[in-house]
Amino acid sequence: MAISTEPGSIYFLREIDKRTGEMTPYVKIGITRGARPVEERIGEHKTSNPREIHDYKSFQVTAINTVETHLHHAYAEHRVE
């Protein structure tokens, strides 16, 4: 499998319960391509979500698809559908 060198951002999102103010234990791993800001993607995740979405950590990478695939495989045993 060839490694794509498409740039983008990898992000880790967490949710904060608006009633209690507590951060949930769940983490969403995702990507934005090119120069698209993570904040724009967070806005899309907020649709019909009663919790506040927080950018826990995000950073630029040069092989966005490879990094995301690796992270999803690395954390597969913790995945919640």
Side-chain angles (χ1 to χ4, degrees):
M1 180 169 115
I3 294 176
S4 166
T5 57
E6 180 182 7
S9 293
I10 189 87
Y11 60 75
F12 301 85
L13 304 180
R14 303 224 18 218
E15 297 177 324
I16 298 173
D17 186 298
K18 289 187 177 184
R19 289 186 179 172
T20 65
E22 294 179 10
M23 191 170 288
T24 67
Y26 305 109
V27 177
K28 163 77 173 136
I29 299 171
I31 63 171
T32 61
R33 299 184 188 285
R36 184 176 183 210
V38 172
E39 292 77 20
E40 190 176 297
R41 188 70 178 112
I42 289 172
E44 294 171 356
H45 283 298
K46 286 184 178 179
T47 305
S48 301
N49 189 339
R51 292 168 295 279
E52 178 183 333
I53 298 176
H54 173 70
D55 182 2
Y56 187 68
K57 181 70 178 171
S58 60
F59 49 92
Q60 293 284 317
V61 296
T62 56
I64 195 66
N65 294 320
T66 303
V67 172
E68 182 188 32
T69 299
H70 174 74
L71 288 169
H72 281 293
H73 285 292
Y75 292 104
E77 67 183 77
H78 303 288
R79 187 175 188 145
V80 177
E81 297 287 333

